[in-house]
Coordinates of all heavy atoms in Angstrom, one line a residue:
Chain A
P94 N 42.2 7.8 84.1 CA 43.6 7.8 84.9 C 44.7 7.9 83.8 O 44.4 7.6 82.7 CB 43.6 6.4 85.5 CG 42.6 5.6 84.8 CD 41.6 6.5 84.3
P95 N 45.8 8.4 84.1 CA 46.9 8.5 83.2 C 47.2 7.2 82.6 O 47.2 6.1 83.3 CB 48.1 9.0 84.1 CG 47.4 9.7 85.2 CD 46.2 8.9 85.5
P96 N 47.5 7.1 81.3 CA 47.7 5.8 80.7 C 48.9 5.0 81.3 O 48.9 3.7 81.2 CB 48.0 6.2 79.2 CG 48.2 7.6 79.1 CD 47.6 8.2 80.4
D97 N 49.9 5.6 81.8 CA 51.0 4.9 82.4 C 50.9 4.6 83.9 O 51.7 4.0 84.4 CB 52.3 5.7 82.1 CG 52.3 7.1 82.8 OD1 51.2 7.5 83.1 OD2 53.3 7.7 83.0
L98 N 49.7 4.9 84.4 CA 49.5 4.6 85.9 C 49.6 3.1 86.2 O 50.4 2.6 86.9 CB 48.2 5.1 86.3 CG 47.9 5.1 87.9 CD1 46.9 6.2 88.2 CD2 47.5 3.8 88.4
R99 N 48.9 2.3 85.4 CA 48.8 0.8 85.6 C 50.3 0.3 85.4 O 50.7 -0.6 86.1 CB 47.8 0.3 84.8 CG 47.5 -1.2 85.1 CD 46.2 -1.7 84.5 NE 46.1 -1.3 83.0 CZ 46.6 -2.1 82.1 NH1 47.2 -3.3 82.4 NH2 46.5 -1.8 80.9
E100 N 50.7 0.7 84.2 CA 52.1 0.1 83.9 C 53.2 0.3 84.9 O 54.0 -0.4 85.3 CB 52.5 0.6 82.5 CG 53.8 0.1 82.0 CD 54.0 -1.4 82.2 OE1 53.0 -2.2 82.0 OE2 55.2 -1.9 82.5
G101 N 53.1 1.6 85.5 CA 54.0 2.0 86.5 C 53.8 1.1 87.8 O 54.9 0.7 88.4
V102 N 52.6 0.7 88.2 CA 52.4 -0.1 89.3 C 53.0 -1.5 89.0 O 53.7 -2.1 89.8 CB 50.8 -0.3 89.6 CG1 50.6 -1.3 90.6 CG2 50.3 1.1 90.1
M103 N 52.7 -2.1 87.8 CA 53.0 -3.4 87.6 C 54.6 -3.5 87.3 O 55.2 -4.6 87.7 CB 52.4 -3.9 86.3 CG 50.8 -4.1 86.5 SD 50.3 -4.9 88.0 CE 50.9 -6.6 87.7
R104 N 55.2 -2.4 86.8 CA 56.7 -2.4 86.7 C 57.3 -2.5 88.1 O 58.2 -3.3 88.3 CB 57.1 -1.1 86.0 CG 58.6 -1.2 85.5 CD 58.9 0.0 84.7 NE 58.7 1.2 85.3 CZ 57.9 2.2 84.8 NH1 57.2 2.1 83.8 NH2 57.8 3.4 85.5
Q105 N 56.8 -1.7 89.0 CA 57.3 -1.7 90.4 C 57.1 -3.1 91.1 O 58.0 -3.6 91.7 CB 56.7 -0.6 91.2 CG 57.1 -0.5 92.6 CD 58.6 0.0 92.7 OE1 59.1 0.5 91.7 NE2 59.2 -0.2 93.8
I106 N 56.0 -3.7 90.8 CA 55.7 -5.0 91.4 C 56.6 -6.1 90.8 O 57.2 -6.9 91.5 CB 54.2 -5.4 91.2 CG1 53.4 -4.6 92.2 CG2 53.9 -6.8 91.5 CD1 51.9 -4.7 92.0
R107 N 56.8 -6.0 89.5 CA 57.7 -7.0 88.9 C 59.2 -6.8 89.4 O 59.9 -7.7 89.7 CB 57.7 -6.8 87.4 CG 56.5 -7.4 86.7 CD 56.7 -7.5 85.2 NE 56.8 -6.2 84.6 CZ 55.9 -5.5 84.1 NH1 54.6 -6.0 84.2 NH2 56.0 -4.3 83.5
L108 N 59.5 -5.6 89.7 CA 60.8 -5.3 90.2 C 61.0 -5.8 91.6 O 62.0 -6.4 92.0 CB 61.1 -3.7 90.1 CG 62.4 -3.3 90.5 CD1 63.4 -3.8 89.4 CD2 62.5 -1.8 90.4
Q109 N 59.9 -5.5 92.4 CA 60.1 -6.1 93.8 C 60.1 -7.6 93.8 O 60.8 -8.2 94.6 CB 58.8 -5.6 94.6 CG 58.8 -4.1 94.9 CD 57.8 -3.8 96.1 OE1 57.4 -4.6 96.8 NE2 57.5 -2.5 96.1
Q110 N 59.4 -8.2 92.9 CA 59.3 -9.7 92.9 C 60.7 -10.2 92.5 O 61.2 -11.1 93.0 CB 58.3 -10.2 92.0 CG 57.0 -10.0 92.6 CD 55.9 -10.6 91.7 OE1 55.9 -10.5 90.5 NE2 54.9 -11.2 92.3
A111 N 61.3 -9.5 91.5 CA 62.7 -9.9 91.0 C 63.7 -9.8 92.1 O 64.6 -10.6 92.3 CB 63.1 -9.1 89.8
L112 N 63.5 -8.8 92.9 CA 64.5 -8.5 94.0 C 64.3 -9.2 95.3 O 65.3 -9.6 96.0 CB 64.5 -7.0 94.4 CG 64.9 -6.0 93.3 CD1 64.6 -4.6 93.7 CD2 66.4 -6.2 93.0
A113 N 63.0 -9.6 95.5 CA 62.8 -10.3 96.9 C 61.8 -11.3 96.6 O 60.7 -11.3 97.1 CB 62.3 -9.3 97.9
P114 N 62.2 -12.5 96.0 CA 61.2 -13.5 95.7 C 60.6 -14.2 97.0 O 59.6 -14.8 97.0 CB 61.9 -14.5 94.9 CG 63.4 -14.2 95.2 CD 63.5 -12.8 95.4
A115 N 61.4 -14.0 98.1 CA 60.9 -14.7 99.4 C 60.4 -13.6 100.4 O 60.3 -13.9 101.5 CB 62.1 -15.4 100.0
S116 N 60.0 -12.4 99.8 CA 59.6 -11.4 100.7 C 58.2 -11.7 101.3 O 57.5 -12.6 100.8 CB 59.5 -10.0 100.0 OG 58.5 -10.0 99.2
K117 N 57.7 -10.9 102.2 CA 56.4 -11.1 102.8 C 55.3 -11.0 101.8 O 54.3 -11.7 101.9 CB 56.3 -10.0 103.9 CG 55.1 -10.4 104.8 CD 55.1 -9.4 106.0 CE 54.9 -7.9 105.7 NZ 54.9 -7.1 106.8
A118 N 55.5 -10.1 100.8 CA 54.5 -9.9 99.8 C 54.1 -11.1 99.0 O 53.1 -11.3 98.6 CB 54.8 -8.7 99.0
V119 N 55.2 -11.9 98.7 CA 54.9 -13.0 97.8 C 55.1 -14.4 98.6 O 55.2 -15.4 98.0 CB 56.0 -13.0 96.7 CG1 55.7 -11.9 95.7 CG2 57.4 -13.0 97.1
R120 N 55.0 -14.3 100.0 CA 55.2 -15.6 100.6 C 53.9 -16.5 100.2 O 52.9 -15.9 99.9 CB 55.2 -15.4 102.1 CG 53.9 -14.9 102.7 CD 54.1 -14.6 104.2 NE 52.8 -14.1 104.6 CZ 52.7 -13.3 105.7 NH1 53.8 -12.9 106.4 NH2 51.6 -12.9 106.1
S121 N 54.0 -17.7 100.4 CA 52.9 -18.6 99.9 C 51.8 -18.6 100.9 O 52.0 -18.3 102.1 CB 53.5 -20.0 99.7 OG 54.0 -20.5 100.9
A122 N 50.5 -18.9 100.4 CA 49.4 -18.9 101.3 C 49.5 -19.9 102.3 O 48.8 -19.7 103.4 CB 48.2 -19.1 100.4
W123 N 50.2 -20.9 102.3 CA 50.2 -22.0 103.4 C 50.8 -21.4 104.6 O 50.3 -21.7 105.7 CB 51.1 -23.2 103.0 CG 52.6 -23.0 102.9 CD1 53.3 -22.7 101.8 CD2 53.5 -23.1 104.1 NE1 54.6 -22.5 102.2 CE2 54.8 -22.7 103.6 CE3 53.3 -23.2 105.4 CZ2 55.9 -22.7 104.4 CZ3 54.5 -23.3 106.2 CH2 55.8 -22.9 105.7
W124 N 51.7 -20.5 104.5 CA 52.3 -19.8 105.7 C 51.2 -19.1 106.5 O 51.1 -19.1 107.7 CB 53.4 -18.9 105.3 CG 53.8 -18.0 106.5 CD1 53.6 -16.8 106.7 CD2 54.7 -18.4 107.5 NE1 54.2 -16.3 107.9 CE2 55.0 -17.3 108.4 CE3 55.4 -19.7 107.8 CZ2 55.8 -17.4 109.5 CZ3 56.3 -19.7 108.9 CH2 56.4 -18.6 109.7
D125 N 50.3 -18.4 105.7 CA 49.2 -17.6 106.4 C 48.2 -18.6 107.1 O 47.6 -18.2 108.1 CB 48.4 -16.9 105.4 CG 49.2 -15.7 104.7 OD1 50.2 -15.2 105.5 OD2 49.1 -15.4 103.6
A126 N 48.1 -19.8 106.6 CA 47.2 -20.7 107.3 C 47.9 -21.5 108.4 O 47.3 -21.7 109.5 CB 46.7 -21.7 106.2
W127 N 49.1 -21.7 108.2 CA 49.8 -22.6 109.1 C 50.3 -21.8 110.4 O 50.1 -22.3 111.6 CB 51.1 -23.1 108.4 CG 51.9 -24.1 109.2 CD1 51.7 -25.4 109.2 CD2 53.0 -23.8 110.0 NE1 52.6 -26.0 110.1 CE2 53.5 -25.1 110.5 CE3 53.7 -22.7 110.3 CZ2 54.6 -25.2 111.4 CZ3 54.9 -22.8 111.2 CH2 55.3 -24.0 111.7

Side-chain angles (χ1 to χ4, degrees):
Chain A
D97 56 343
L98 189 155
R99 188 165 53 86
E100 182 44 39
V102 171
M103 295 312 294
R104 189 170 61 239
Q105 181 69 17
I106 287 174
R107 282 194 294 271
L108 190 58
Q109 286 198 23
Q110 287 185 319
L112 292 170
S116 74
K117 193 167 65 175
V119 292
R120 71 187 179 202
S121 59
W123 73 264
W124 173 259
D125 293 329
W127 186 85

